[in-house]
Amino acid sequence: MQTFIHHYGSDIMCDQFNLIRADLEGTCKHTAPRQIDLYVIFCAMLYTIKNGCTWRDLPSDFPK
């Protein structure tokens, strides 16, 4: 699984994310294994919400 290192004001701590991880993982169908950690995707979503940017305008240290 790929890991990405970034530190933005919109990020939450891993401990905080682990409180909701099971809920988020339980909502998807079981298909191919994830290649990118769900935490990174969640932080990217928070970044777009906070900064009002499009997904394409994410910094390059987030996954595509």
Side-chain angles (χ1 to χ4, degrees), residues 42-55:
F42 192 77
C43 286
M45 291 169 59
L46 292 176
Y47 183 91
T48 60
I49 292 168
K50 180 180 179 194
N51 295 302
C53 67
T54 61
W55 192 259

Side-chain angles (χ1 to χ4, degrees), residues 14-23:
C14 288
D15 296 344
Q16 294 171 318
F17 179 72
N18 287 333
L19 295 173
I20 62 169
R21 180 183 288 273
D23 294 331

Side-chain angles (χ1 to χ4, degrees), residues 5-63:
I5 298 174
H6 53 83
H7 302 287
Y8 296 103
S10 58
D11 291 353
I12 61 173
M13 295 188 334
C14 288
D15 296 344
Q16 294 171 318
F17 179 72
N18 287 333
L19 295 173
I20 62 169
R21 180 183 288 273
D23 294 331
L24 295 175
E25 288 178 343
T27 60
C28 70
K29 295 180 180 178
H30 295 285
T31 57
R34 278 194 184 88
Q35 295 179 355
I36 301 170
D37 186 22
L38 191 57
Y39 171 72
V40 176
I41 300 297
F42 192 77
C43 286
M45 291 169 59
L46 292 176
Y47 183 91
T48 60
I49 292 168
K50 180 180 179 194
N51 295 302
C53 67
T54 61
W55 192 259
R56 290 182 182 157
D57 292 334
L58 282 173
S60 61
D61 55 346
F62 280 116

